[in-house]
Amino acid sequence: MRTPAPESRPVALTIAGSDSGGGAGIQADLATMAAHGVFGTSAITAVTAQNTRGVASSHVLPGDEVDAQLEAVTDDFAVGAAKTGMLATTEVIETVADHAQTFDFPLVVDPVMVATSGDRLLEPEAERAYENLLGAATVATPNADEAEVLTDIAVTDEESAREAGEAILETGVDAVLIKGGHVPGEQVRDTLVTNDTVRTFEHPRVATDATHGSGCTLAAAIAARLAKGEALEPAVGGATDFLARAVRHYYDVGEGHGAVNHMAALRNEAAREPTAEEVQAVVDRFVDADVSALVPEVGMNVVGATPYADSVAETAAVEGRITRTLSGVHPNRGVRFGASSHVARFLLSAREFFPDLRFAVNCRFDKGVEAALESLAWPVAEYDRGQQPDEVAEIEDSTMGWGARQAFGDRDEPPAAVIDRGEVGKEAVSYTH
């Protein structure tokens, strides 16, 4: 008989509807909480029959059943935070609001009031009932349409988001996060408004319609972080980062638009060590093969990105690069994350066009290398850094993005090598999956 090894985890509670398609509601909330290392409990308010193409039917549970679930969870578990989603009727909203008055833990209210089509989901009496619930909440997370229902203020920019947030604060809620996903623009701006501060969290918009469940996921991520003891502002910032990654790397499932990937951040973290090991294996092969002829004057680096990498800190490389010595090539130090600058930024820029790209190495470029590439018949792209606009040349990150656009922007498949014939140096950068 083995000795048990129990594990203690923070507990969070989701009060929402069930989504049979798994992309939103209770299912999305519990997956998000698990991804944050939090034990998820639930009180189901409605059962829906839906998939990636839409909702077929919905059945709202009686208020007594919702009440019983809330009693059961809060009587037994040390709940660290809770969030609400689809509450559906006046009775359910009032039931949850009554319980919320007794909560001694943070409450995140996602006021699900408007359908994706723009239609209102609740009767006027139910919309009014939300005010009592908001008064007991730590933070509300309305999107632009829901904020307009609550305030009659059309949210079209940062200023109107702030105005709507300040109006919702009058209900007694401690903070309001006006989500920017429904506001047009290249950037998604989520605006957190409190009585003391206004903070905007900004992320590049992802060109996808696979956003079903994004509101649920964001609210659940905030609740999970609050349950772990994070302060509100970093909890919201971390949750928006979590959602941005989950939307970009969405699950391609079903015949509709797919589903938000609640596990992207967790799987990305789990892939760090294997990624570093793969980089080290390539470095060892280069040392054994003595690739001195391919090492440029600035040194060579091998860079590996985790599967869902969005920053240099999520790329592994040789600290100090690989250099030529009298006896061959030698890595100056070990492999660590964040060790590369130039090559890592180029790889990340290339991933904007081909997200499956994981590894890159910069090599010397001369006539011999050019002849070798021709003999291999690999697909090759090139760009001339001397042709980049002056305003781009002044910013290193912009240079990487500009170069990637020249090399990858009009291709169906990524090239095996990219040649830079620019004035600042001749260097070939090759990429493999």
Side-chain angles (χ1 to χ4, degrees):
M1 182 177 296
R2 302 193 69 187
T3 302
E7 182 179 11
S8 179
R9 289 278 180 179
V11 177
L13 165 65
T14 169
I15 309 164
S18 169
D19 173 7
S20 58
I26 291 285
Q27 287 84 345
D29 294 342
L30 294 178
T32 299
M33 290 170 182
H36 281 81
V38 172
F39 184 83
T41 60
S42 64
I44 298 176
T45 60
V47 177
T48 67
Q50 61 179 297
N51 52 34
T52 59
R53 297 194 301 266
V55 180
S57 66
S58 177
H59 173 71
V60 180
L61 272 66
D64 288 348
E65 291 299 324
V66 176
D67 177 76
Q69 293 176 79
L70 290 171
E71 286 284 353
V73 172
T74 57
D75 180 60
D76 184 46
F77 295 90
V79 177
K83 60 85 64 177
T84 68
M86 176 185 178
L87 301 183
T89 66
T90 303
E91 180 187 18
V92 172
I93 296 170
E94 290 177 344
T95 298
V96 175
D98 287 344
H99 277 271
Q101 307 302 322
T102 68
F103 289 169
D104 59 357
F105 46 80
L107 173 64
V108 181
V109 172
D110 181 17
V112 181
M113 309 172 81
V114 182
T116 303
S117 62
D119 296 330
R120 291 195 179 190
L121 297 173
L122 302 176
E123 56 193 23
E125 184 180 357
E127 290 179 356
R128 289 192 293 271
Y130 255 110
E131 293 192 10
N132 290 332
L133 178 58
L134 290 170
T138 304
V139 58
T141 63
N143 60 32
D145 297 327
E146 291 155 352
E148 184 171 357
V149 170
L150 291 167
T151 66
D152 290 327
I153 297 173
V155 176
T156 58
D157 53 23
E158 290 183 65
E159 179 62 22
S160 54
R162 179 189 61 77
E163 293 176 2
E166 290 174 345
I168 296 173
L169 285 176
E170 295 179 5
T171 63
V173 63
D174 297 336
V176 182
L177 180 67
I178 305 293
K179 297 179 292 192
H182 290 189
V183 180
E186 289 295 312
Q187 299 288 317
V188 175
R189 295 181 175 88
D190 302 309
T191 304
L192 179 65
V193 183
T194 70
N195 286 317
D196 301 317
T197 62
V198 177
R199 170 76 188 279
T200 299
F201 302 90
E202 192 170 300
H203 296 85
R205 189 177 300 276
V206 180
T208 179
D209 292 320
T211 58
H212 175 61
S214 57
C216 309
T217 299
L218 179 61
I222 296 172
R225 289 171 177 271
L226 292 175
K228 294 169 72 172
E230 291 187 21
L232 179 61
E233 190 169 306
V236 170
T240 59
D241 290 344
F242 177 89
L243 179 61
R245 197 191 303 265
V247 170
R248 185 180 185 219
H249 302 282
Y250 68 90
Y251 286 122
D252 185 12
V253 294
E255 297 182 8
H257 295 306
V260 169
N261 186 348
H262 313 102
M263 294 293 120
L266 186 66
R267 292 196 177 109
N268 198 56
E269 184 66 23
R272 286 175 65 89
E273 188 62 31
T275 299
E277 290 175 353
E278 290 182 67
V279 170
Q280 184 64 61
V282 174
V283 172
D284 291 343
R285 288 182 63 186
F286 282 0
V287 171
D288 291 343
D290 187 5
V291 295
S292 299
L294 293 176
V295 177
E297 293 300 323
V298 296
M300 170 187 282
N301 215 331
V302 179
V303 180
T306 53
Y308 310 107
D310 285 328
S311 70
V312 168
E314 295 170 328
T315 63
V318 177
E319 185 175 8
R321 301 193 179 190
I322 301 169
T323 56
R324 285 178 285 180
T325 70
L326 293 176
S327 58
V329 298
H330 182 72
N332 290 332
R333 297 182 185 86
V335 173
R336 71 171 180 82
F337 280 86
S340 172
S341 175
H342 180 92
V343 182
R345 289 200 303 275
F346 195 91
L347 175 58
L348 291 171
S349 296
R351 283 168 56 85
E352 291 298 314
F353 301 92
F354 297 98
D356 288 340
L357 288 175
R358 294 280 309 282
F359 298 91
V361 56
N362 66 309
C363 304
R364 179 186 181 89
F365 181 71
D366 55 24
K367 291 182 179 180
V369 172
E370 187 169 22
L373 289 172
E374 290 176 356
S375 67
L376 290 168
W378 286 354
V380 175
E382 63 178 83
Y383 68 92
D384 184 349
R385 202 181 302 186
Q387 295 180 357
Q388 65 183 329
D390 291 340
E391 61 272 18
V392 171
E394 294 174 359
I395 306 173
E396 188 71 10
D397 283 343
S398 296
T399 293
M400 297 300 98
W402 179 85
R405 284 195 298 274
Q406 311 312 304
F408 298 92
D410 59 353
R411 291 175 172 267
D412 295 327
E413 296 292 335
V418 177
I419 301 170
D420 173 11
R421 298 180 186 268
E423 296 176 349
V424 295
K426 294 183 177 181
E427 183 174 70
V429 184
S430 59
Y431 297 82
T432 59
H433 292 276

